[in-house]
Amino acid sequence: MIHPLLRSEVSIIEWINSFGYSKHERSLEPIKTVLEVLGNPHEKLETIHVAGTNGKGSTVAFLRSILIHAGVRVGTFTSPFMVNFKDRIEINNTHISKDHLGKYARRLKAVLDHRENRDDLSSFDVLTLISFMYFADQKVDVVIYETGIGGRLDSTNVIRPMVTAITNVGDDHAEILGESPLERAMEKLGIVKEGVPLFTTEENPDLLTVFRNHCQGLNAPFHESLLGFDFVRTVETGTLFHYQSYRFVRLKMLGKYQAKNATLALSIAEYLMEAGIFDLDVEVIYKGLDVATWPGRFEFIEKKPPVIIDGAHNIDGLKALIDLIETVYPKRRKKFLFSALKHKDVNEMRKLLDSCAHEVHYTTWKHPNAIDPVELLSEPLDFPTQAEHVARPEYKKMLGQFIKKLEEDEVLIICGSLYFVSELRKFVLRGKELRRTRQEKE
């Protein structure tokens, strides 16, 4: 009899997700125990480890693009996915195949079936374990691992990387990582290993002192990547910045925050080049940064008038998005379609959206913790509003007409939870593809 895991991609993903989003106790011991049985595939990998509240995915995308253009075979492990579940495990921008996903899921299931406790592993743990086996068998040159939450007790923190990076320390997941910035910083600093350099674009002077002292205690070289960074400008067609001797570095991705993410990737690439770890050169670094893309981060799904999707899912991310919108489209009438998870500071996000928007449309999607827009708008706001706030319980029924009726002086920004943005992005692009196919047949 063929095991259900052999039958379809859906059944493989359902098995992975059956472990749930959280586990009974945050600990690395369960994943270490399983890795031991699997032969410790993670120890066969050269890795780079990236943590931080915002910008991890973009930093990975920039660094991956640089390395690929240098001829390096690069694995990446990121979360959550934006286009396809399998995108979380990629080699040179190509996601793991269904056959490989099934192969390693079955191998892992054979090990896990002999364990008494199922609650001490999460779906993120399971996918991390699958990635270790896959990348080790594929013999990639390097894997860039993005943490899920925090760092110290994150599933990925069993690796010993050649480089670590922390983008920044924000307020996200305070209920898990700690109420104070210092507590959250220490959780992220948990990825730093003895003698392994840390690069960061954190700007808080107090936290930088904590970073510096922590690295000193581990004899780990510490690099403030924004030293020598100079932002030039961002417009609708791209972003320019300087970094030390690198002048007018160009990005397709928009925003000062993306220039900072690119600087973090650039400073790591320069270290890898100077240390002779990979055969990089300056032109490869320029080219890699210029062509890098990252779905769902200020991504245009229409240009005239502009319709933009962005996974701004926390306060810092939303502030950066609004700043960018005001910079690129100062005179346009701004409409937002927004959704988030209930545990986020949604009221503060509503206040931020109101400061920029003419209209804010709240919606939801199929997720057990998604906001209820009707319930949300039934709660009185504690600030005077300048925008129109509307509940849209079912975005799929109105989005097509909403986009079609946009005026030339308007811009629509679809933002919020990465899970929401991912689902909506697929819905919009599927609709565009169907229309294109219909037109071709006609």
Side-chain angles (χ1 to χ4, degrees):
M1 179 180 175
I2 299 175
H3 192 280
L5 279 176
L6 285 169
R7 292 176 184 165
S8 71
E9 184 176 310
V10 170
S11 64
I12 298 166
I13 295 170
E14 284 178 347
W15 177 76
I16 293 170
N17 287 336
S18 71
F19 287 82
Y21 294 103
S22 61
K23 49 193 177 186
H24 180 66
E25 182 181 346
R26 294 183 71 228
S27 169
L28 292 180
E29 291 311 310
I31 197 169
K32 286 180 179 179
T33 301
V34 177
L35 282 168
E36 189 76 31
V37 178
L38 293 171
N40 291 318
H42 63 301
E43 294 180 355
K44 302 171 185 176
L45 301 172
E46 295 287 358
T47 58
I48 294 169
H49 210 180
V50 181
T53 303
N54 292 309
K56 297 190 297 292
S58 297
T59 299
V60 171
F62 285 125
L63 187 54
R64 170 176 57 191
S65 185
I66 291 169
L67 293 173
I68 288 174
H69 278 79
V72 179
R73 196 155 180 259
V74 188
T76 49
F77 181 79
T78 56
S79 63
F81 68 90
M82 184 57 62
V83 182
N84 183 303
F85 180 89
K86 301 189 298 294
D87 293 345
R88 296 171 71 170
I89 302 174
E90 293 190 334
I91 298 176
N92 283 19
N93 289 320
T94 300
H95 62 64
I96 186 172
S97 68
K98 184 207 86 170
D99 290 342
H100 276 121
L101 188 64
K103 172 184 175 180
Y104 295 109
R106 290 190 294 275
R107 184 183 296 180
L108 183 57
K109 186 177 187 301
V111 172
L112 300 186
D113 282 349
H114 291 90
R115 301 180 78 245
E116 292 182 6
N117 191 357
R118 182 185 172 90
D119 294 335
D120 62 357
L121 289 174
S122 67
S123 57
F124 187 79
D125 292 332
V126 170
L127 200 60
T128 304
L129 288 162
I130 288 172
S131 78
F132 289 144
M133 292 186 284
Y134 174 64
F135 290 134
D137 282 358
Q138 293 295 310
K139 295 180 171 58
V140 293
D141 297 317
V142 65
V143 185
I144 309 172
Y145 271 93
E146 176 191 338
T147 63
I149 295 177
R152 182 176 64 92
L153 295 175
D154 188 79
S155 311
T156 60
N157 201 32
V158 294
I159 60 176
R160 178 174 172 79
M162 64 176 79
V163 179
T164 59
I166 299 175
T167 56
N168 50 43
V169 178
D171 297 333
D172 242 15
H173 305 294
E175 72 283 359
I176 298 172
L177 303 178
E179 292 300 323
S180 73
L182 176 59
E183 289 175 295
R184 296 191 291 274
M186 293 309 298
E187 287 293 320
K188 297 180 196 306
L189 284 167
I191 69 169
V192 182
K193 306 297 189 295
E194 181 79 32
V196 177
L198 169 69
F199 292 77
T200 188
T201 41
E202 175 58 57
E203 298 179 77
N204 182 308
D206 294 334
L207 292 182
L208 285 172
T209 299
V210 173
F211 279 35
R212 193 175 296 108
N213 292 340
H214 186 81
C215 287
Q216 189 174 8
L218 290 170
N219 196 31
F222 178 57
H223 302 267
E224 294 180 51
S225 294
L226 291 179
L227 295 177
F229 169 79
D230 184 19
F231 180 67
V232 178
R233 65 176 176 271
T234 193
V235 293
E236 193 174 19
T237 54
T239 298
L240 289 175
F241 70 95
H242 305 311
Y243 172 69
Q244 297 182 3
S245 62
Y246 294 81
R247 314 305 292 171
F248 295 104
V249 182
R250 187 173 58 187
L251 309 174
K252 281 188 173 62
M253 290 197 260
L254 305 191
K256 186 175 183 179
Y257 60 94
Q258 290 295 16
K260 291 178 181 179
N261 295 331
T263 296
L264 182 55
L266 194 164
S267 61
I268 294 170
E270 192 172 48
Y271 164 78
L272 297 172
M273 177 173 64
E274 291 176 353
I277 297 172
F278 293 117
D279 186 17
L280 305 177
D281 60 46
V282 171
E283 290 307 313
V284 160
I285 292 174
Y286 273 108
K287 181 65 176 176
L289 292 174
D290 184 26
V291 302
T293 58
W294 190 232
R297 276 68 172 184
F298 211 83
E299 179 183 6
F300 289 89
I301 54 176
E302 297 287 352
K303 281 280 191 178
K304 293 184 178 180
V307 178
I308 297 155
I309 59 173
D310 191 280
H313 60 284
N314 55 37
I315 300 299
D316 289 339
L318 195 55
K319 284 179 180 176
L321 171 61
I322 288 171
D323 181 64
L324 178 55
I325 288 289
E326 296 283 24
T327 299
V328 178
Y329 299 115
K331 296 181 180 179
R332 283 184 184 262
R333 180 180 171 84
K334 300 165 186 70
K335 294 182 177 181
F336 285 81
L337 180 62
F338 174 82
S339 194
L341 296 175
K342 292 175 183 176
H343 68 267
K344 299 288 184 177
D345 191 349
V346 178
N347 284 328
E348 183 62 26
M349 290 184 177
R350 292 173 70 188
K351 190 173 182 178
L352 286 169
L353 289 167
D354 186 83
S355 70
C356 170
H358 293 83
E359 298 175 19
V360 186
H361 300 260
Y362 300 92
T363 190
T364 191
W365 81 106
K366 290 182 180 179
H367 190 289
N369 294 319
I371 60 170
D372 179 334
V374 175
E375 183 180 312
L376 181 69
L377 288 190
S378 68
E379 300 174 7
L381 292 168
D382 60 357
F383 59 90
T385 61
Q386 66 174 22
E388 180 184 1
H389 294 255
V390 185
R392 299 282 188 181
E394 179 50 79
Y395 73 84
K396 291 182 179 180
K397 293 180 180 178
M398 49 73 68
L399 187 58
Q401 286 300 312
F402 202 38
I403 293 174
K404 194 173 181 180
K405 291 180 179 179
L406 273 183
E407 301 290 341
E408 285 300 313
D409 65 341
E410 295 181 325
V411 55
L412 172 63
I413 307 100
I414 301 165
C415 63
S417 166
L418 285 166
Y419 298 103
F420 163 65
V421 169
S422 173
E423 180 180 297
L424 189 142
R425 181 182 187 275
K426 284 184 283 189
F427 173 73
V428 171
L429 295 182
R430 193 183 303 122
K432 289 179 71 173
E433 184 60 33
L434 286 172
R435 287 193 296 275
R436 188 181 301 113
T437 302
R438 196 179 301 120
Q439 289 169 358
E440 288 172 356
K441 288 181 178 180
E442 292 173 354

